Amino acid sequence: MHAYPRPQLVRDDWTSLDGRWQFCFDDEGRWHCPEDVEDWPLQIEVPFAPEARASGIGDTGFHPVCWYRREFECRPGPERVVLRFGAVDYAARVWVNGRLAVTHEGGHTPFWADISGLLDESGHQVVVVRVDDDPSDLAKPRGKQDWQLAPHAIWYPRTSGIWQTVWFERLPATFVDRIRWTPQVENFAIGLEIRVGGDRSGEVWAEVELSAAGRVLARDRYLIVDGEADRFIVLSDPGIDDFRNELLWCPERPTLIEARVRLLRGDVLQEEVGSYTALRSVTILRDRFMLNGRPYTLRMVLDQGYWPETLMTSPDDDALRRDVELAKAMGFNGVRKHQKIEDPRYLYWADRLGLLVWEEMPSAYRFTRGAIRRTVREWTDAIERDYSHPCVIVWVPFNESWGVPELTAVRTQRHAVEALYHLTRTLDATRPVIGNDGWESSATDIIGIHDYDASCEHLRQRYGAEIKPEQLFDRRRPGGRILTLDGYPHRGQPIMLTEFGGIAFVKAQAKGGHTWGYSAARDEAQFTTLYSDLLHTVIHTALFSGFCYTQFADTFQEANGLLTAAREPKIPLEDIARATRESRTHIVGGV
């Protein structure tokens, strides 16, 4: 049984097209439309990329163009039929029954096509997809996908083609096109934006019911005007913190507010969809990160979201849930999803189980006007997709100056970071933004530092109580980079150690092949000691208002995970959690 792929706008009438598709490579790019394809010699298991062994192909060579074909049954009717793709890397053209349905560029964001007018009356349909994904193109957002034939350094196998779920669903003549939730804790209110598609003639109403723990919190009805309704739903405020806290969302108490949205024309139901939201605020107050109006120490782990057999696609929905559960079991209250726009189902489990998420844009590696246009378009789509998830608390458009390597010298590159920061703050005024994480900060709400020195004494000397912030920013150069650019001195923002550790440890029975980390442990005892000492040092460094340890699980040649690539703990989970939880989160007001 497949889980519905878009958890914040759920419909009952949908059909997954995951499974066996016909497939072929087109390395010379000879074919331009479905009838050109001469042969379909391969079969692939969607949604796994052809580079992944789980796809049934497992070909990691250079293949700039590939084609997919799938037959499916869908009889035309009075409803609209919409074909949806979770993500296709990098540029896709989709035909249904030989006619072009949609084109899309961007490897990490969803797209769709209304195929109602393209369906064959017999009910037998054929969808063909051409995917262009130049493996050597460094001017497109690609994250950790290697441009060399074999993975090297910190880059991993490529992910071409379809890598998230494909499905179709039936929509009525008048349907909910988008839902957007904005919590406003200070007023005990939930902002709701509804966009209606299809036939909007006559009086169309939206009826919204919010509930939590089986108790109805609100039931409102709004007239749809010009295809939309924007309202704040004010909940009954109990006033006293103890009662308020029961409804606030935080990792320790992830209370979700379930929503049912019904569209009506008069009293006739047009459509009913499911959604959810939460009462949760994230802000910056001087040098502290604030959750629900109270200081909150972030204990995060860097998570790259790869699996050995399936690459960037999870093996199944249970694997996504298990990753969230493991992060919490190791004592972390958040993850930094590194160089990946994660599957919405991961965010669903983080929402439901209580795990904070920093969302980071996959980098391009060349600075060109085209690269910036591509980044802006895809980043905008990612923010739109994930805006309503309560687990998402920080946006990170750039990492370690990747794609903007000359920030100290080239003004246009500075403008790019500043522009993405301000664009992100414009698209979402409710969350902090880190313009460029790691070093060379300019426009930013949090200053993130990456420092992989394994010496606890060195870390104490650099960041200890005797070091004033102005000394830190004048002298410290992790990776040979200054921490803040000229003209952007520290203005009192929170300072966090957002990459550190990276201790490599491979058990003797698992050794083989080249692996590496930023430092190494020879056995379980030393690994435990190194991790505990590092965490103790960072936790007791008052300068830091949060941290992010590298990393969650081994990722191909990188053996510096707390877990193996198969998600097996290298040392007991309780030992990891004991060290991670040594920090004393300020638990006030439900956090």
Side-chain angles (χ1 to χ4, degrees):
M1 181 74 177
H2 289 86
Y4 187 76
R6 188 187 51 201
Q8 286 195 306
L9 205 170
V10 177
R11 291 189 169 92
D12 294 331
D13 192 357
W14 71 286
T15 302
S16 172
L17 293 180
D18 290 352
R20 192 60 55 89
W21 290 52
Q22 294 173 287
F23 182 83
C24 66
F25 293 113
D26 180 15
D27 292 347
E28 289 76 37
R30 294 183 296 126
W31 305 323
H32 302 285
C33 55
E35 53 266 30
D36 293 342
V37 181
E38 298 167 354
D39 189 24
W40 298 93
L42 302 172
Q43 290 191 325
I44 188 169
E45 193 73 20
V46 167
F48 305 118
E51 292 88 351
R53 290 191 290 267
S55 72
I57 295 177
D59 187 333
T60 58
F62 289 148
H63 299 291
V65 181
C66 60
W67 290 78
Y68 294 77
R69 183 180 185 274
R70 165 77 187 253
E71 300 180 25
F72 65 99
E73 297 299 318
C74 178
R75 190 167 294 279
E79 310 95 343
R80 295 169 181 262
V81 176
V82 173
L83 178 64
R84 299 190 184 275
F85 292 81
V88 179
D89 200 354
Y90 171 71
R93 295 173 64 85
V94 181
W95 293 263
V96 174
N97 297 324
R99 289 182 287 176
L100 185 64
V102 65
T103 64
H104 180 262
E105 182 178 316
H108 307 88
T109 50
F111 62 98
W112 60 274
D114 185 338
I115 62 172
S116 309
L118 305 179
L119 297 178
D120 192 282
E121 290 295 329
S122 70
H124 185 75
Q125 319 299 338
V126 179
V127 58
V128 175
V129 183
R130 170 183 164 139
V131 182
D132 289 75
D133 189 19
D134 183 352
S136 63
D137 185 354
L138 298 183
K140 67 183 177 190
R142 60 188 297 148
K144 286 298 198 82
Q145 299 181 61
D146 209 325
W147 52 92
Q148 296 186 16
L149 190 60
H152 79 290
I154 58 171
W155 286 275
Y156 316 129
R158 290 166 294 284
T159 295
S160 301
I162 299 170
W163 68 277
Q164 288 185 23
T165 290
V166 184
W167 78 100
F168 71 87
E169 57 190 15
R170 296 183 182 273
L171 279 60
T174 304
F175 58 91
V176 178
D177 185 40
R178 280 178 291 158
I179 295 176
R180 181 178 168 111
W181 302 101
T182 304
Q184 197 177 80
V185 169
E186 61 273 24
N187 294 324
F188 227 59
I190 300 287
L192 168 63
E193 300 174 31
I194 300 175
R195 299 294 180 266
V196 173
D199 180 7
R200 305 190 313 223
S201 62
E203 280 198 355
V204 178
W205 295 80
E207 185 178 273
V208 181
E209 181 177 292
L210 302 182
S211 62
R215 182 168 67 94
V216 173
L217 303 175
R219 185 182 292 120
D220 292 345
R221 185 179 167 108
Y222 311 120
L223 180 67
I224 300 297
V225 178
D226 295 331
E228 62 185 58
D230 295 351
R231 298 289 189 274
F232 271 99
I233 304 172
V234 180
L235 306 179
S236 178
D237 187 347
I240 300 172
D241 276 354
D242 287 350
F243 294 111
R244 266 184 150 229
N245 294 341
E246 292 180 4
L247 202 55
L248 296 181
W249 185 99
C250 63
E252 295 75 20
R253 190 190 295 116
T255 302
L256 293 181
I257 298 173
E258 307 296 338
R260 301 300 298 177
V261 178
R262 304 175 184 91
L263 288 185
L264 303 105
R265 181 171 276 107
D267 291 326
V268 179
L269 181 66
Q270 305 295 301
E271 179 174 47
E272 180 173 351
V273 298
S275 187
Y276 66 86
T277 182
L279 267 177
R280 188 274 295 125
S281 69
V282 288
T283 54
I284 299 299
L285 181 62
R286 298 180 182 173
D287 65 342
R288 294 292 127 179
F289 175 86
M290 310 288 284
L291 179 63
N292 298 333
R294 301 291 187 269
Y296 192 87
T297 301
L298 293 173
R299 304 189 309 270
M300 301 188 300
V301 64
L302 185 139
D303 182 357
Q304 307 200 68
Y306 276 83
W307 288 264
E309 298 291 324
T310 60
L311 304 184
M312 288 204 302
T313 309
S314 70
D316 51 36
D317 194 55
D318 287 342
L320 294 173
R321 175 173 185 156
R322 181 63 175 151
D323 273 10
V324 173
E325 291 172 337
L326 283 166
K328 290 177 68 72
M330 290 190 289
F332 298 102
N333 56 29
V335 296
R336 177 172 160 231
K337 276 291 177 178
H338 185 43
Q339 288 298 293
K340 183 186 182 186
I341 305 298
E342 189 53 273
D343 190 303
R345 294 293 308 178
Y346 180 93
L347 300 181
Y348 166 82
W349 288 117
D351 289 337
R352 193 152 294 279
L353 300 177
L355 187 69
L356 304 172
V357 176
W358 284 22
E359 187 160 324
E360 179 181 319
M361 180 63 198
S363 296
Y365 293 97
R366 291 186 59 217
F367 181 76
T368 68
R369 290 189 298 275
I372 294 300
R373 283 195 298 269
R374 288 165 154 182
T375 299
V376 167
R377 179 176 59 244
E378 199 162 350
W379 186 232
T380 299
D381 289 347
I383 294 170
E384 175 67 23
R385 192 197 77 171
D386 296 336
Y387 174 92
S388 295
H389 283 282
C391 69
V392 177
I393 60 162
V394 171
W395 302 111
V396 185
F398 287 96
N399 172 72
E400 290 187 349
S401 308
W402 292 350
V404 282
E406 301 297 336
L407 285 176
T408 59
V410 179
R411 188 167 296 276
T412 53
Q413 295 187 18
R414 289 194 186 194
H415 290 329
V417 173
E418 293 160 18
L420 264 292
Y421 167 83
H422 289 293
L423 174 65
T424 306
R425 292 288 295 172
T426 300
L427 295 174
D428 180 4
T430 72
R431 292 176 173 93
V433 178
I434 298 181
N436 179 38
D437 191 38
W439 45 65
E440 295 178 339
S441 291
S442 55
T444 192
D445 298 319
I446 297 169
I447 292 179
I449 299 174
H450 296 180
D451 191 332
Y452 283 104
D453 195 322
S455 167
C456 294
E457 183 57 34
H458 291 171
L459 293 177
R460 280 190 288 267
Q461 290 172 2
R462 285 183 201 130
Y463 307 113
E466 68 278 6
I467 302 298
K468 296 179 180 179
E470 57 267 26
Q471 294 175 299
L472 170 69
F473 293 106
D474 286 343
R475 300 177 185 175
R476 181 72 192 109
R477 297 196 175 216
R481 306 290 189 117
I482 58 174
L483 290 178
T484 57
L485 295 177
D486 291 345
Y488 286 91
H490 180 232
R491 305 186 313 278
Q493 306 105 309
I495 300 169
M496 301 189 189
L497 192 60
T498 49
E499 284 189 29
F500 74 104
I503 305 166
F505 171 49
V506 181
K507 293 186 178 182
Q509 63 269 27
K511 289 184 178 178
H514 174 69
T515 60
W516 71 278
Y518 294 92
S519 58
R522 62 180 175 270
D523 54 32
E524 290 187 22
Q526 188 184 30
F527 185 66
T528 302
T529 298
L530 289 174
Y531 180 73
S532 299
D533 288 350
L534 266 179
L535 268 290
H536 177 85
T537 300
V538 172
I539 286 165
H540 291 281
T541 300
L543 180 72
F544 298 134
S545 58
F547 63 80
C548 180
Y549 180 82
T550 302
Q551 63 177 322
F552 175 74
D554 289 353
T555 309
F556 298 98
Q557 64 272 22
E558 288 190 45
N560 51 20
L562 294 167
L563 311 173
T564 69
R567 280 37 176 189
E568 297 167 346
K570 295 183 179 179
I571 57 176
L573 286 175
E574 54 268 26
D575 291 348
I576 300 173
R578 191 176 298 113
T580 306
R581 289 183 177 135
E582 186 183 349
S583 62
R584 294 175 180 171
T585 301
H586 188 56
I587 303 180
V588 176
V591 299

